[in-house]
Amino acid sequence: MKVLVTGGAGYIGSHAAQRLLADGHSVVVVDNLSRGHARAVQRLREHARNGDRLGFEHLDIRATDPIETLIREHRIDTVMHFAALTYVGESVEKPLDYYENNTAGSLSLLRACERSWSHAHGGVRRFVFSSTAATYGEPPADRVPIREDCPQNPINPYGASKLMVERMLRDSVAAAARSGSDFAAACLRYFNVAGADHTGLIGEDHDPETHLIPIAIQAAMGKRPGMTIFGEDYPTTDGTCVRDYVHVEDLADAHVTVMQKMTTGTCVAYNLGIGRGYSVKEVIAAVERVTAKPIPVRIGERRAGDPPVLFADPAKIRAELGWSASWTDLERIISTAWEWMRRNPEGYGR
Ligand code: UFG
């Protein structure tokens, strides 16, 4: 397939691009490089199997006309849409940035796809969207583990900005079906993505870093003096938030599985998680074991927008597509992140 990967210079998008190339697909990465790394794409070009099948366009997804042109010129048939702002805390501070980039940005991209249905090659037929468990908000205790039919009531602008895109996709698929256009969409609701490519070529490099596992590793490496646990008074066994950590390579694998099995006229949603939750304290203890280093920890205030417990019921994607996470051991997941950060202490470099 010929796949447009938006946000392909970012953490999850670059791993998806790597996997698509490995499977022999052609990939065009579109990234505005506001958070992504040109060096991630460069490394894939130079070292990945089929790296010569990877193109790169320094473009914003809101540039509808250039994206439509690119779809035409590269005869794109599939879009994997990762480009987004993704910090829950930041979204509470700057909600409009999230609606502008994530919601309006996706609208522009979708508009380019819609226009492409009249292109000679048939245009974009499959759209795989990076959605998030944050769309579920704070599910009642009896709805955890979370199934896809759990009510979606996001409690932060990040989750809300993504939920609107799910709705746009559903409506666009229905409209396409009515007009006879060949279009399908999938909304993949990620839980907490973690780890790095096991070969060490690409990995997670955020500035600033806000995610638990890389922060704990940086603290273990002495790159920061210590770390703060955001709240110890949640209604969980040890008082800290519980999350479902899914390996980034499993996530890439799920995207390819979904892409190959999409049915015209449908807009499906799947949870991507391992189906078990770990508390913040359990994660920190696991990082200490993997790195064999103590992590200085202080207990701080709750962070705005954090639900207490989020973990997936991943049964739907297993039953319908036969997919399940192969990395289910937290320490092994953390080991790949540790390996990446040890080999690339400055990430991709600045
Ligand atoms: N945490 C700390 N200290 C830190 C960093 C994080 O205690 O220094 C805690 C957070 O408060 C949270 C947990 O660790 O309880 C995980 O936090 P992350 O920032 O790593 O991840 P989030 O759960 O906030 O969000 C992630 C993705 C979102 C996605 C969400 C879905 O970043 O894009 O998972 O579960 F929506």
Side-chain angles (χ1 to χ4, degrees):
M1 291 175 194
K2 297 189 168 60
V3 188
L4 176 66
V5 177
T6 75
Y11 170 44
I12 304 172
S14 60
H15 286 81
Q18 180 183 44
R19 172 57 194 267
L20 287 164
L21 291 170
D23 286 5
H25 300 285
S26 297
V27 177
V28 180
V29 163
V30 163
D31 201 299
N32 68 7
L33 297 180
S34 66
R35 306 253 160 128
H37 303 273
R39 285 185 189 150
V41 180
Q42 199 182 328
R43 284 190 187 187
L44 289 177
R45 269 224 195 98
E46 287 169 9
H47 302 287
R49 194 159 82 78
N50 294 331
D52 56 328
R53 286 169 159 252
L54 174 63
F56 174 68
E57 297 285 340
H58 186 182
L59 263 181
D60 193 288
I61 52 167
R62 286 165 289 182
T64 311
D65 292 346
I67 292 203
E68 188 196 344
T69 305
L70 189 153
I71 290 170
R72 186 195 312 273
E73 285 176 354
H74 292 271
R75 305 176 64 80
I76 298 290
D77 50 49
T78 304
V79 169
M80 285 194 185
H81 175 32
F82 299 92
L85 301 180
T86 61
Y87 298 140
V88 170
E90 182 185 60
S91 80
V92 177
E93 306 299 323
K94 300 177 181 171
L96 297 186
D97 287 3
Y98 278 70
Y99 294 117
E100 190 175 325
N101 279 275
N102 298 357
T103 313
S106 299
L107 174 85
S108 300
L109 176 65
L110 206 43
R111 178 72 78 194
C113 295
E114 181 192 54
R115 289 189 193 154
S116 78
W117 298 337
S118 63
H119 292 181
H121 79 285
V124 173
R125 270 159 269 174
R126 287 166 291 267
F127 193 106
V128 183
F129 174 55
S130 291
S131 189
T132 170
T135 58
Y136 294 116
E138 209 166 312
D142 63 348
R143 301 300 298 251
V144 180
I146 301 168
R147 291 186 349 187
E148 288 80 354
D149 59 4
C150 180
Q152 289 174 288
N153 296 309
I155 60 163
N156 51 58
Y158 170 62
S161 73
K162 291 274 185 170
L163 181 57
M164 286 186 214
V165 182
E166 289 202 7
R167 180 64 202 251
M168 276 192 255
L169 283 169
R170 260 205 322 276
D171 293 342
S172 297
V173 167
R178 276 194 296 275
S179 70
S181 300
D182 186 4
F183 190 54
C187 302
L188 304 185
R189 298 179 188 150
Y190 311 159
F191 284 67
N192 288 54
V193 188
D197 150 41
H198 73 279
T199 70
L201 186 62
I202 54 174
E204 186 169 14
D205 179 5
H206 293 119
D207 183 25
E209 187 51 79
T210 65
H211 294 108
L212 178 61
I213 291 175
I215 282 182
I217 294 175
Q218 285 172 354
M221 292 169 90
K223 293 194 73 179
R224 53 174 81 221
M227 63 174 295
T228 303
I229 292 179
F230 299 138
E232 198 190 20
D233 58 348
Y234 284 97
T236 60
T237 43
D238 64 16
T240 65
C241 288
V242 170
R243 296 286 184 272
D244 181 333
Y245 294 87
V246 56
H247 195 274
V248 67
E249 286 190 331
D250 271 337
L251 214 72
D253 182 54
H255 281 72
V256 174
T257 303
V258 168
M259 172 183 91
Q260 284 164 337
K261 297 188 177 167
M262 290 171 77
T263 311
T264 294
T266 63
C267 179
V268 291
Y270 293 116
N271 286 337
L272 297 183
I274 69 170
R276 100 149 259 205
Y278 293 93
S279 74
V280 173
K281 284 187 180 171
E282 285 174 325
V283 171
I284 293 172
V287 172
E288 288 185 319
R289 287 194 297 276
V290 167
T291 59
K293 295 182 198 309
I295 299 174
V297 169
R298 65 173 277 274
I299 306 297
E301 295 295 306
R302 289 182 177 198
R303 187 174 68 178
D306 274 346
V309 181
L310 287 176
F311 66 96
D313 178 342
K316 186 181 173 202
I317 189 165
R318 188 172 52 230
E320 293 186 4
L321 305 183
W323 182 89
S324 62
S326 58
W327 297 77
T328 52
D329 180 83
L330 181 63
E331 285 185 29
R332 284 192 61 226
I333 293 174
I334 291 171
S335 300
T336 62
W338 166 230
E339 199 49 37
W340 154 257
M341 290 172 73
R342 222 168 30 165
R343 284 197 213 176
N344 301 272
E346 303 307 321
Y348 290 106
R350 311 228 180 266

